[in-house]
Amino acid sequence: DKLKARIVGGGDQQDRSLYKDLSAPTVSTTSFFSVAGIAAAENRKVISLDVGVAYLNAAMDGTVIVHMSIDPALSAVLVDLDPTYRPFLDYKGMLVVALDKALYGCIESANLWYKNISATLIGGGYVSNPVDPCVFNKTGPTGTQCTLALHVDDILATSADAALIEEFVDLIHRTYHQYTVQEGPVLGHLGMTLDYRVPGQVSITMEGCVQTLMSAYDPQDTAVTPATSELFVTREPDAPGNRLATPAEHKKDRSALAVCLYMAKRTYPQLGCAVAFLTTRVNQWS
C-alpha cells in the first residue's frame, strides 16, 4: 500500500474559450495491441516506462496566465519552507500564485505534456506515426526499429536491439527527473498484464482489475455470461419495491462500471453487450 498526494488545480474554474487547442491524444487500443503483437512476432525486447509527475515537466506556454489560490494550511507549509512567501499572505492566510508548470487539474496540462514528451522523442530521433500520433518509431544504424506506444506518461517500448531500448531509457534519464522501468517477460502496463514468456506470443490479461471488482462486491455465484435473456428487462426507480441507491452506492457502482467498460474494450469483449447497456442506465439504478 502507498499513500500519494499532490496539489491539483481547479480546472473547472478556467475559461476554455481562451484556448485554441486543448486536445491531448493517447495511443489507440488498436495501435497498442498492434505494437504489442509485432513485438511478440519479432521476439523484441519489451519494457514499460512510467515518467513520474509527468505534467510538472511541461512549462505553461504563457499565452494565458493561470493564477491559483492556495488554502491557508498549505500556504502555512510554504511559508515555513520559504519565509520569503510571508509578505504575500492575504488576510485569510492564503497565497495566490501564478503557475509556471502544467499543474495536474488544469485544462491545458495534458496538451502541454504531450507537446513536451513529443518534442523530447522527436529530438531523440523518433518519428511520429502519421496514423497514430502516439506511436513513435526510430531506426537504428543496423536497420533495426525501436517502437514506442505513448499513453500520457506510460510508454511501452519495443525493439529487437537491446541497445536501442537502452538508448531510449537514457534519453528519458537525461530529460526527466523521475521515472520507473519494468523489464522482463511479464509486464504490468495500463492495468493490463503483458506476458511474453511463450516465444512468438503475447498474452494480455487484466486479473488485477478483476480481483479488485471481486473484492469490492464479493459475488457468491457465477454465470456463464453476463448477457442473460433478462439483460434488457428493467424496472424504473419509482417502481414498487425498489430502493434508490445511496450516493455512496451510486459512486461505487459508477466506478465499477467504468472499470468493466475499460476491460471490455481491451481484454474481455464478452462483457461488451452487458456493459454497453448498463452505461445507458447508469442514472436509473436503484
Side-chain angles (χ1 to χ4, degrees), residues 126-139:
Y126 287 88
V127 177
S128 177
N129 188 292
V131 176
D132 191 325
C134 289
V135 175
F136 293 82
N137 291 290
K138 178 179 181 178
T139 302

Side-chain angles (χ1 to χ4, degrees), residues 4-176:
K4 297 175 66 175
R6 60 164 59 106
I7 301 175
V8 178
D12 59 309
Q13 300 180 47
Q14 292 181 258
D15 185 352
R16 290 180 175 270
S17 67
L18 299 176
Y19 300 87
K20 293 182 179 180
D21 181 20
L22 292 172
S23 63
T26 56
V27 65
S28 72
T29 303
T30 301
S31 296
F32 177 81
F33 283 160
S34 296
V35 170
I38 291 171
E42 297 182 355
N43 291 313
R44 294 188 179 194
K45 178 179 180 179
V46 182
I47 68 166
S48 174
L49 186 143
D50 175 22
V51 181
V53 291
Y55 285 11
L56 299 183
N57 292 288
M60 290 292 196
D61 60 13
T63 57
V64 179
I65 304 300
V66 179
H67 292 92
M68 182 177 72
S69 60
I70 303 178
D71 66 53
L74 186 55
S75 294
V77 172
L78 291 177
V79 169
D80 287 341
L81 293 173
D82 188 345
T84 61
Y85 282 111
R86 187 175 298 279
F88 301 100
L89 288 170
D90 67 11
Y91 70 99
K92 295 181 179 179
M94 300 173 65
L95 292 168
V96 176
V97 299
L99 299 181
D100 293 328
K101 297 293 184 179
L103 190 69
Y104 287 86
C106 295
I107 57 176
E108 68 269 54
S109 295
N111 175 275
L112 294 173
W113 163 246
Y114 173 76
K115 291 178 178 178
N116 180 282
I117 185 65
S118 295
T120 296
L121 297 176
I122 292 171
Y126 287 88
V127 177
S128 177
N129 188 292
V131 176
D132 191 325
C134 289
V135 175
F136 293 82
N137 291 290
K138 178 179 181 178
T139 302
T142 63
T144 304
Q145 190 180 68
C146 182
T147 302
L148 312 177
L150 173 66
H151 188 283
V152 191
D153 53 3
D154 293 291
I155 306 174
L156 190 75
T158 79
S159 180
D161 186 349
L164 289 179
I165 295 289
E166 293 175 4
E167 186 179 291
F168 161 67
V169 174
D170 182 63
L171 172 66
I172 298 298
H173 176 74
R174 288 184 280 108
T175 310
Y176 302 109

Side-chain angles (χ1 to χ4, degrees), residues 192-239:
M192 296 174 280
T193 299
L194 281 66
D195 189 338
Y196 286 94
R197 286 178 292 186
V198 178
Q201 298 181 25
V202 57
S203 171
I204 302 179
T205 59
M206 300 182 73
E207 287 299 320
C209 290
V210 172
Q211 291 304 318
T212 297
L213 288 176
M214 296 290 282
S215 298
Y217 287 90
D218 190 26
Q220 299 300 310
D221 50 12
T222 62
V224 175
T225 171
T228 66
S229 59
E230 297 182 352
L231 173 63
F232 302 111
V233 177
T234 63
R235 294 182 299 173
E236 294 306 315
D238 56 355

